[in-house]
Amino acid sequence: MKRLSWDQYFMAQSHLLANRSTCPRLAVGATIVRDKRIIAGGYNGSISGGIHCIDEGCYMIDGHCVRTIHAEMNAILQCAKFGVPTQGAEIYVTHFPCLQCCKAIIQSGIKTVYYAADYKNHPYAIELFESAKVKTIKVPFDNFFEQNNQQEKLELFADVLKKLENAGVDEKEIRAFYEKAQSIFSNGV
């Protein structure tokens, strides 16, 4: 079995956290790490005990949901709440941080931002990170768990299609199944 790299381990944690998001527009997760130890995690959602966008819709002003607190901010605030220093830490985020989160990351003393996907990368955020000497490193997330089972799934699906063909199922139907399988397996990894 292949062992996860540290970057993939922490990025996987961020993707797991994103599954807690209550934002229907984009699920984001963030993990703050110091000395190869997770010190905080966050996801985008409403304030604790507040109304969630998934329940009542987004509260939009000027094209932005004002109800949501971003994942990076939630992770930083978790450190503040529990008195955990962020100076010199690293943050792993599923998406490139917005301008406001960029500023919070810089102010918190975090020195490296690892992100899995580009998302409206603001030019001024990039400039601020550079001037503050905060490294930004793109680390595309390799879904380790899907990769391990991908070949088995593909082989099973090929066997089922072959049995359908042998059973006399219409060639057009089999082709439609084949095309659907191609789209599933090409997007799965």
Side-chain angles (χ1 to χ4, degrees):
M1 186 165 132
K2 181 181 147 191
R3 188 175 187 201
L4 281 174
S5 70
W6 284 112
D7 287 343
Q8 288 300 313
Y9 172 73
F10 296 128
M11 196 59 77
Q13 177 68 32
S14 294
H15 277 81
L16 184 61
L17 283 161
N19 285 298
R20 290 279 307 150
S21 172
T22 60
C23 175
R25 298 174 70 216
L26 181 69
V28 178
T31 304
I32 300 176
V33 174
R34 192 176 56 243
D35 300 325
K36 301 280 187 249
R37 300 290 179 257
I38 296 171
I39 60 173
Y43 53 88
N44 55 333
S46 302
I47 60 168
S48 297
I51 295 168
H52 295 284
C53 297
I54 57 173
D55 297 328
E56 296 197 16
C58 294
Y59 184 1
M60 302 295 290
I61 297 177
D62 296 329
H64 298 282
C65 179
V66 296
R67 180 176 286 140
T68 300
I69 301 169
H70 290 188
E72 303 93 321
M73 195 68 75
N74 267 325
I76 291 167
L77 291 170
Q78 186 180 74
C79 287
K81 185 176 185 177
F82 295 107
V84 178
T86 54
Q87 185 66 39
E90 303 169 321
I91 189 166
Y92 288 78
V93 191
T94 57
H95 298 78
F96 191 86
C98 74
L99 182 56
Q100 298 307 316
C101 288
C102 159
K103 292 188 272 185
I105 288 166
I106 291 167
Q107 286 299 96
S108 71
I110 291 172
K111 291 300 177 194
T112 307
V113 176
Y114 297 94
Y115 65 99
D118 291 304
Y119 182 74
K120 300 180 182 179
N121 302 23
H122 196 286
Y124 188 51
I126 294 167
E127 182 183 325
L128 285 174
F129 279 140
E130 288 173 358
S131 67
K133 295 184 179 27
V134 172
K135 290 187 268 181
T136 57
I137 301 169
K138 187 171 185 179
V139 178
F141 177 53
D142 297 326
N143 194 329
F144 181 78
F145 302 104
E146 283 185 9
Q147 286 176 8
N148 283 343
N149 296 324
Q150 198 73 346
Q151 188 61 37
E152 285 178 55
K153 291 176 187 176
L154 188 57
E155 289 170 6
L156 174 66
F157 200 83
D159 288 344
V160 169
L161 286 178
K162 189 67 174 167
K163 287 182 189 224
L164 288 173
E165 184 181 331
N166 292 341
V169 173
D170 181 51
E171 188 179 323
K172 287 182 182 177
E173 275 188 90
I174 292 174
R175 189 175 306 121
F177 286 133
Y178 176 77
E179 289 171 4
K180 180 67 176 174
Q182 264 189 319
S183 82
I184 289 170
F185 289 111
S186 65
N187 291 329
V189 175

